[in-house]
């Protein structure tokens, strides 16, 4: 019910490119968000997900975050997880376009899951270095093997608790960080604060499911107000964060 109410509010407040007066955001919306090109890479994204949907292998799952709204049992099939918890085809295509548009070289992903998002980012630019963190050892191992099977390189899968992993990764600089693991307010804010030191002027953060719960929305509101954050874009399912010092502080609500 919370999400339904928030979505109605989002629809009432949101706009498309015609409500955007920032050239940076206008270009992003028109040339990336609304890009209708049918890229060759989309077929690879679809085939990767189809293979997962057909996979009946069962794994024991350790949930370190909030967990799944749908899947509660510890023993889950890969096909179930791909259907209920994996990145959607639409969002995977958007990730592909984002990596291509911004030409990200170093990416950090918190929450590998079955690697649907990871694979989409990789095929957008196979030379991109991707570090992806997964809390559940069995899912991590499955995704590692799946990446090998699909001959995906330059992907470093880190297995472990996000609290520990994020602190160990702060010596790096990232062009893009995709927060898609622990959907809790305190944890999200902790990861945000910890990984702020890995950013540069053109870094991009994306927070998944900013309306997952009241707590996640509160975390999103706090992130928007942070002094280092200049531009944010609320697309309902994702929250985009930019640190460009040349931009005035501004918040956009965009329908995709």
């Amino acid at each position: 019910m919370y999400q339904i109410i928030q979505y109605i509010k989002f629809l009432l407040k949101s706009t498309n490119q015609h409500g955007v007066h920032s050239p940076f955001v206008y270009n992003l919306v028109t040339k990336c968000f609304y890009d209708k090109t049918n890229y060759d890479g989309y077929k690879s994204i679809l085939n990767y997900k189809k293979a997962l949907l057909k996979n009946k292998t069962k794994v024991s799952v350790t949930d370190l975050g909030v967990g799944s709204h749908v899947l509660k049992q510890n023993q889950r099939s890969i096909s179930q997880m791909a259907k209920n918890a994996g990145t959607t085809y639409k969002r995977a295509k958007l990730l592909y376009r984002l990596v291509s548009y911004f030409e990200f070289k170093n990416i950090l992903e918190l929450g590998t899951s079955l690697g649907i998002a990871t694979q989409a980012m990789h095929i957008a630019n196979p030379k991109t270095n991707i570090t992806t963190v997964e809390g559940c050892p069995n899912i991590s191992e499955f995704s590692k093997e799946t990446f090998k099977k699909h001959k995906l390189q330059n992907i470093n899968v880190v297995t472990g608790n996000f609290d520990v992993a994020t602190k160990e990764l702060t010596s790096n600089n990232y062009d893009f960080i995709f927060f898609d693991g622990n959907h809790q307010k305190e944890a999200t804010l902790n990861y945000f604060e910890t990984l702020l030191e890995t950013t540069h002027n053109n870094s991009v953060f994306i927070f998944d499911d900013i309306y997952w719960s009241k707590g996640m929305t509160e975390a999103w509101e706090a992130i928007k107000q942070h002094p280092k954050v200049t531009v944010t874009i609320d697309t309902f399912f994702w929250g985009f964060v930019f640190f460009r010092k040349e931009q005035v502080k501004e918040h956009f609500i965009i329908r995709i």
Side-chain angles (χ1 to χ4, degrees):
M1 183 56 70
Y2 174 77
Q3 291 177 345
I4 292 167
I5 292 167
Q6 294 306 310
Y7 188 61
I8 292 166
K9 288 181 180 177
F10 169 82
L11 290 176
L12 293 170
K13 292 179 191 173
S14 60
T15 185
N16 54 23
Q17 75 271 25
H18 300 300
V20 174
H21 302 293
S22 158
F24 169 75
V25 178
Y26 181 86
N27 285 334
L28 174 60
V29 172
T30 55
K31 296 177 181 178
C32 179
F33 287 5
Y34 294 166
D35 181 0
K36 301 298 183 191
T37 308
N38 189 22
Y39 292 102
D40 291 340
Y42 290 174
K43 189 174 181 182
S44 179
I45 293 170
L46 197 57
N47 288 339
Y48 185 91
K49 181 142 188 184
K50 277 182 178 175
L52 294 173
L53 289 168
K54 288 177 185 173
N55 192 326
K56 304 300 179 187
T57 305
K58 289 202 171 182
V59 294
S60 293
V61 177
T62 308
D63 272 328
L64 298 181
V66 171
S68 169
H69 274 332
V70 180
L71 303 172
K72 294 300 178 189
Q73 68 274 30
N74 288 334
Q75 282 281 333
R76 301 175 196 166
S77 71
I78 297 300
S79 58
Q80 267 185 308
M81 287 190 284
K83 183 181 177 184
N84 296 307
T87 302
T88 65
Y89 180 48
K90 181 181 177 181
R91 295 183 201 180
K93 289 194 296 181
L94 178 52
L95 278 173
Y96 175 96
R97 295 198 300 277
L98 284 163
V99 173
S100 298
Y101 181 80
F102 284 111
E103 299 181 340
F104 296 132
K105 299 293 189 293
N106 290 300
I107 294 174
L108 173 61
E109 176 185 36
L110 296 185
T112 315
S113 188
L114 302 176
I116 297 168
T118 325
Q119 186 257 1
M121 293 188 289
H122 167 81
I123 59 168
N125 181 3
K127 291 181 180 178
T128 297
N129 293 307
I130 301 175
T131 300
T132 181
V133 185
E134 174 54 47
C136 173
N138 293 333
I139 293 178
S140 178
E141 195 54 41
F142 172 84
S143 293
K144 270 187 204 176
E145 291 305 313
T146 306
F147 296 152
K148 279 183 196 170
K149 184 179 169 184
H150 287 263
K151 297 182 171 59
L152 308 184
Q153 298 177 332
N154 300 324
I155 299 175
N156 175 32
V157 181
V158 176
T159 309
N161 188 295
F162 291 177
D163 293 343
V164 177
T166 50
K167 285 169 185 164
E168 291 175 348
L169 293 165
T170 53
S171 58
N172 304 315
N173 273 339
Y174 295 105
D175 306 314
F176 176 42
I177 303 182
F178 185 35
F179 297 78
D180 184 22
N182 190 328
H183 293 78
Q184 296 179 83
K185 177 183 177 180
E186 190 177 336
T188 299
L189 290 173
N190 282 343
Y191 305 150
F192 168 72
E193 291 283 355
T194 301
L195 292 168
L196 263 180
E197 59 188 271
T198 70
T199 62
H200 53 78
N201 192 64
N202 295 317
S203 294
V204 181
F205 282 7
I206 291 181
F207 293 88
D208 183 62
D209 280 332
I210 54 175
Y211 293 102
W212 172 277
S213 64
K214 190 170 181 286
M216 268 304 289
T217 308
E218 287 170 355
W220 170 241
E221 291 300 325
I223 289 164
K224 281 165 60 178
Q225 300 311 316
H226 194 279
K228 284 192 176 178
V229 171
T230 53
V231 173
T232 65
I233 304 174
D234 175 348
T235 66
F236 189 75
F237 54 88
W238 285 347
F240 289 72
V241 175
F242 301 90
F243 306 91
R244 292 160 54 87
K245 293 183 177 71
E246 63 271 35
Q247 301 283 141
V248 294
K249 196 169 183 80
E250 203 168 357
H251 308 298
F252 298 89
I253 303 173
I254 305 287
R255 289 188 298 275
I256 297 182

